[in-house]
Amino acid sequence: MELKWLEYAKKLQSIAQAGITYSKNKYELERFEQIRDISIQILQNYTDIEHAKIRNLFANETGYQTPKIDVRGAIYKDNKILLVKEKNDGRWALPGGWADIDTSLSEAIIKEAKEEAGLVVLPKRIISIFDYKKHAAKPLPYGVYKIFVECELIKGSFKNNIETSESGFFEPESLPPLSLNRNTREQIELCFETRKKQCHEAIFD
């Protein structure tokens, strides 16, 4: 369950962002800026993150606030799934990351698989679309939808890069320590289960 103070801070930020975007009255704009500052102060008081970084990550967008999109590619070989070792925490995850504004879902998956694992893949079907806050242990100051996509491996091999240090294929019972902000054990197990099904309806929430 999401922490109440974080829920309130996110709601205040969302209200402020929409108000700053659509209001034409200078007095209302001033009030919405104050609401945004309050949301930043709440985060600053409950975390160790400095004010400037919170504003950059949490309160730098314009327009109506919507969730960010994180994509993850499930790539298989035999009865194993590909994981990459993240350099920033030393733990393992399905290749993926934030979707760029100018890419489709398939293009984002193809890009991440190439950059993080050195592989050429063909996205086949959506496994699931999860709301991050319902499935992860660490709260974030913004909403995230995580999209898991089953992929066909075409060719390629791992190449050293700025984000990951190695890759490997793992069986479900021998998964390495996972980067839980990126994927949970349950989510990877779902990828294995989906692999066995000829027909699959995407799971969401």
Side-chain angles (χ1 to χ4, degrees):
M1 180 179 293
E2 187 172 45
L3 298 171
K4 281 295 181 183
W5 62 264
L6 180 57
E7 178 185 343
Y8 297 151
K10 288 164 66 174
K11 286 182 178 178
L12 286 172
Q13 157 58 16
S14 180
I15 292 168
Q17 184 171 307
I20 290 169
T21 300
Y22 298 113
S23 179
K24 304 300 181 184
N25 184 292
K26 66 177 182 179
Y27 299 107
E28 290 181 354
L29 288 171
E30 184 176 314
R31 293 189 189 97
F32 285 125
E33 286 286 0
Q34 290 173 346
I35 292 172
R36 170 172 279 182
D37 285 339
I38 290 170
S39 71
I40 293 172
Q41 289 169 20
I42 292 173
L43 274 180
Q44 190 174 17
N45 287 340
Y46 283 93
T47 68
D48 297 326
I49 307 173
E50 60 188 39
H51 186 279
K53 188 172 183 180
I54 293 173
R55 177 170 284 277
N56 182 53
L57 291 174
F58 178 56
N60 68 337
E61 297 181 1
T62 59
Y64 192 83
Q65 192 167 35
T66 58
K68 297 179 181 295
I69 302 296
D70 177 83
V71 300
R72 295 287 150 184
I75 305 165
Y76 309 87
K77 185 168 70 174
D78 301 325
N79 294 318
K80 300 178 181 180
I81 198 166
L82 177 80
L83 299 176
V84 293
K85 190 173 185 180
E86 300 287 343
K87 286 186 176 180
N88 68 352
D89 65 4
R91 292 176 174 268
W92 296 77
L94 300 171
W98 298 124
D100 293 328
I101 195 169
D102 58 347
T103 59
S104 68
L105 175 57
S106 292
E107 290 168 343
I109 290 289
I110 291 169
K111 172 178 174 287
E112 293 294 336
K114 185 66 174 176
E115 290 181 351
E116 294 195 354
L119 300 180
V120 176
V121 302
L122 177 63
K124 301 294 287 186
R125 57 181 176 176
I126 294 175
I127 297 170
S128 60
I129 304 173
F130 286 130
D131 184 339
Y132 172 89
K133 71 176 182 290
K134 294 185 177 181
H135 299 273
K138 182 179 178 181
L140 292 176
Y142 39 75
V144 177
Y145 288 167
K146 300 183 72 69
I147 305 178
F148 292 78
V149 177
E150 182 179 304
C151 300
E152 178 184 345
L153 173 58
I154 305 299
K155 62 180 180 179
S157 60
F158 181 81
K159 293 179 175 60
N160 191 37
N161 60 84
I162 62 172
E163 296 183 89
T164 61
S165 59
E166 58 181 299
S167 69
F169 286 89
F170 298 88
E171 296 177 338
E173 61 273 10
S174 59
L175 296 177
L178 298 176
S179 182
L180 296 178
N181 290 338
R182 295 175 173 86
N183 44 222
T184 65
R185 175 175 290 273
E186 291 76 17
Q187 289 164 347
I188 292 178
E189 288 174 350
L190 175 61
C191 294
F192 277 110
E193 293 172 11
T194 303
R195 176 70 167 170
K196 301 173 185 177
K197 300 176 181 177
Q198 185 173 359
C199 297
H200 170 73
E201 292 186 7
I203 295 172
F204 55 92
D205 279 0

